[in-house]
Amino acid sequence: MAMMLLNANFSTTRRKADSPAQPTNHERTTHFGYETVAEAEKEARVAGVFSNVAASYDTMNDFMSLGIHRLWKDHFVRSINPGSSSSPSSKGWTMLDIAGGTGDIAFRLLDHATNINASPSSTITISDINPSMLSEGRKRSLQTSYANSPRLSFLVANAERLDNIASNSIDLYTVAFGIRNFTNKEKALREAYRVLKPGGVFACLEFSGVTNPLFDAVYKRWSFGAIPLIGQLVAGDRASYQYLVESIDKFPKQEEFRDMIKDAGFLVPGKGWEDLTGGIAAIHKGIKPVEEDL
């Protein structure tokens, strides 16, 4: 019976994917999961989703990642090695964590810079478009040594319009499990390029394309059949979890997203990404060329 329920939910979702809602006017459109909506509407609806899940954000990521997102985040931070080539007397790294409301990545970055690379002057700004997510991050920061410290700041901002961040001012720009929710990803990538210093690093951790077809089929059945149902049972919110699994399926696969990063002006090391757990997630990086004219 449970498998029949999962099959029914999965089939219904796939029918929705084949027949997305169509806009009724000539506004610029984008995807909200499998729906086609006006760009302004997506921003408002995504805000609603993350306001709903802010308090249960880690639980949500446990569902989405089969419980291993914490390992991915640890590996992501180690691969960046924040604070390297810094001495205690130097300014350290100036870091910006976008869509980082709960502080999950930011606290790891500061820990690594401080404890591994002896860079106590490295700083980070946690930026998120959603005040509810930032409130959760502020609350969690009270359990760290960075609470009320000049090393940690919070900023409500849209990643596509970082008006409060100066050009060529950031050493590291990170975004983890956030960019797939952006309305205009290309614009956000260009804005990342603008704020980074020449030689600065763009680093993204995001759900991606599973590389093994059999594993992909199993993961999709779990995602579409079980996760919205669990969201309804655990959080009383099926719709938000339904959107989140659809947003993963609609996000550009590894090669396409790598090319988007290149198109924004970044140099891409190697093949441009590292698959995690068979491609359930991937790390993408780009480097702003040092030859950039200031």
Side-chain angles (χ1 to χ4, degrees), residues 150-168:
R151 299 184 64 192
L152 175 66
S153 59
F154 295 86
L155 174 67
V156 177
N158 186 329
E160 299 166 22
R161 300 184 298 276
L162 296 172
D163 298 333
N164 291 328
I165 307 294
S167 299
N168 306 300

Side-chain angles (χ1 to χ4, degrees), residues 32-34 42 64 180-181 185 206-207 224 241-252:
F32 179 81
Y34 288 150
K42 175 172 180 174
M64 306 294 288
R180 74 181 190 278
N181 301 300
K185 298 170 185 61
E206 187 54 270
F207 290 107
F224 288 101
Y241 286 80
Q242 182 69 44
Y243 159 73
L244 290 165
V245 295
E246 291 177 7
S247 71
I248 294 173
D249 199 39
K250 293 295 293 183
F251 187 69

Side-chain angles (χ1 to χ4, degrees), residues 13-235:
T13 301
R14 300 309 298 178
R15 285 195 294 272
K16 289 179 181 178
D18 295 336
S19 303
Q22 297 299 317
T24 57
N25 53 43
H26 298 291
E27 291 183 274
R28 289 176 57 88
T29 61
T30 187
H31 295 290
F32 179 81
Y34 288 150
E35 295 182 63
T36 299
V37 299
E39 287 187 350
E41 181 183 351
K42 175 172 180 174
E43 187 171 315
R45 292 176 69 175
V46 168
V49 167
F50 282 91
S51 293
N52 290 343
V53 303
S56 58
Y57 184 72
D58 282 342
T59 302
M60 176 196 77
N61 276 331
D62 282 331
F63 293 152
M64 306 294 288
S65 69
L66 305 177
I68 57 178
H69 67 98
R70 293 175 179 84
L71 298 178
W72 294 342
K73 291 171 180 174
D74 289 341
H75 176 71
F76 178 58
V77 169
R78 287 195 300 269
S79 77
I80 297 168
N81 197 22
S84 59
S85 302
S86 298
S87 68
S89 60
S90 75
K91 287 182 61 178
W93 284 27
T94 301
M95 301 179 284
L96 175 64
D97 185 34
I98 292 290
T102 63
D104 233 14
I105 295 296
F107 303 148
R108 283 173 166 86
L109 290 167
L110 286 176
D111 284 346
H112 188 103
T114 304
N115 301 326
I116 304 300
N117 286 321
S119 180
S121 298
S122 289
T123 64
I124 195 160
T125 297
I126 302 175
S127 179
D128 203 293
I129 197 172
N130 192 302
S132 296
M133 294 291 286
L134 282 179
S135 293
E136 190 67 23
R138 286 192 178 93
K139 186 190 309 180
R140 295 184 185 193
S141 75
L142 299 177
Q143 307 303 315
T144 75
S145 61
Y146 312 114
N148 303 312
S149 161
R151 299 184 64 192
L152 175 66
S153 59
F154 295 86
L155 174 67
V156 177
N158 186 329
E160 299 166 22
R161 300 184 298 276
L162 296 172
D163 298 333
N164 291 328
I165 307 294
S167 299
N168 306 300
S169 65
I170 302 296
D171 295 296
L172 173 67
Y173 174 118
T174 57
V175 56
F177 304 120
I179 201 167
R180 74 181 190 278
N181 301 300
F182 293 177
T183 300
N184 189 325
K185 298 170 185 61
E186 292 85 356
K187 188 173 181 181
L189 287 169
R190 292 193 298 270
E191 192 70 341
Y193 186 90
R194 179 187 68 79
V195 302
L196 280 166
K197 299 174 182 177
V201 175
F202 166 85
C204 175
L205 171 62
E206 187 54 270
F207 290 107
S208 198
V210 177
T211 55
N212 180 282
L214 179 59
F215 186 29
D216 185 41
V218 172
Y219 180 67
K220 276 191 168 64
R221 192 164 297 278
W222 159 256
S223 297
F224 288 101
I227 291 175
L229 180 61
I230 294 171
Q232 179 178 343
L233 296 174
V234 173

Side-chain angles (χ1 to χ4, degrees), residues 259-274:
D259 292 345
M260 290 169 64
I261 294 169
K262 284 184 176 180
D263 289 344
F266 290 101
L267 300 176
V268 172
K271 70 176 183 179
W273 76 89
E274 176 189 358

